[in-house]
C-alpha cells in the first residue's frame, strides 16, 4: 500500500469489529486510521491529514457518534468528507451521507465505501499495472 492510497478514518469502540473492518479495507487498497471514540478521532484529526471518508459508530463512550457529528458540523473540520454511520441504533443522524445497520455485510460495506471513495487499485492481489 502506498501513501497515496485513500485514507479512511474508522471510529469504532469495539476492538474486534474495528480490527476486522480495518483489515478488510486495507486488503482492498485503503489506508485506515483507527480511533476508539469521537474525542480520540477529534484529537487525531487535529494532527493528521484529512481523510477521504469516515466510518462512524454511534454508540461509544467518551464522545458518541452524534456528539462527534455535531462538533464536526460546528467546526467544519470535515466539510465535504462523506461520513458513513455503522451502528446497531436505528437512528440515522443528520450529517451522515448514509447509514448501515450492524451487523453489516462485507458486500454492503464495500459497495458503499467504493461508491464514496474509489480505492487506489491495490488489494489482496497487489498493485494493478497496465
Amino acid at each position: 500500500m502506498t501513501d497515496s492510497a485513500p485514507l479512511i478514518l474508522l471510529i469504532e469502540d469495539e476492538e474486534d469489529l474495528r480490527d476486522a473492518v480495518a483489515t478488510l479495507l486495507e486488503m482492498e487498497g485503503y489506508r485506515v486510521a483507527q480511533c476508539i471514540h469521537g474525542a480520540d478521532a477529534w484529537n487525531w484529526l487535529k494532527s493528521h491529514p484529512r481523510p477521504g471518508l469516515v466510518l462512524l459508530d454511534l454508540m461509544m463512550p467518551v464522545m458518541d457518534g452524534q456528539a462527534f457529528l455535531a462538533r464536526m458540523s460546528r467546526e467544519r473540520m470535515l466539510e465535504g468528507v462523506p461520513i458513513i454511520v455503522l451502528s446497531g441504533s436505528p437512528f440515522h443522524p443528520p450529517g451522515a451521507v448514509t447509514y448501515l445497520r450492524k451487523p453489516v455485510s462485507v458486500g454492503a460495506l464495500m459497495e458503499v465505501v467504493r461508491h464514496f471513495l474509489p480505492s487506489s487499485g491495490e488489494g489482496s492481489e497487489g498493485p494493478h499495472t497496465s
Side-chain angles (χ1 to χ4, degrees), residues 24-54:
L24 170 69
L25 293 169
E26 289 167 350
M27 288 173 50
E28 292 293 321
Y30 298 98
R31 291 180 296 143
V32 181
Q34 299 181 44
C35 294
I36 58 173
H37 50 67
D40 185 32
W42 174 257
N43 289 330
W44 184 90
L45 284 164
K46 291 191 290 187
S47 60
H48 290 85
R50 183 176 156 106
L53 181 99
V54 175

Side-chain angles (χ1 to χ4, degrees), residues 13 41 44 47 65 73 87 99:
D13 63 320
W44 184 90
S47 60
S73 177
S87 182
Y99 168 90

Side-chain angles (χ1 to χ4, degrees), residues 52-110:
L53 181 99
V54 175
L55 295 174
L56 176 67
D57 185 18
L58 287 183
M59 297 182 285
M60 299 176 290
V62 184
M63 180 190 287
D64 68 17
Q66 293 177 52
F68 177 81
L69 283 168
R71 188 166 188 184
M72 291 302 103
S73 177
R74 282 192 312 272
E75 302 288 335
R76 297 181 180 251
M77 185 177 275
L78 291 175
E79 199 165 45
V81 174
I83 299 175
I84 299 167
V85 167
L86 302 172
S87 182
S89 166
F91 180 68
H92 185 151
V97 295
T98 195
Y99 168 90
L100 294 173
R101 182 101 187 243
K102 288 179 185 175
V104 63
S105 74
V106 169
L109 174 63
M110 292 314 303

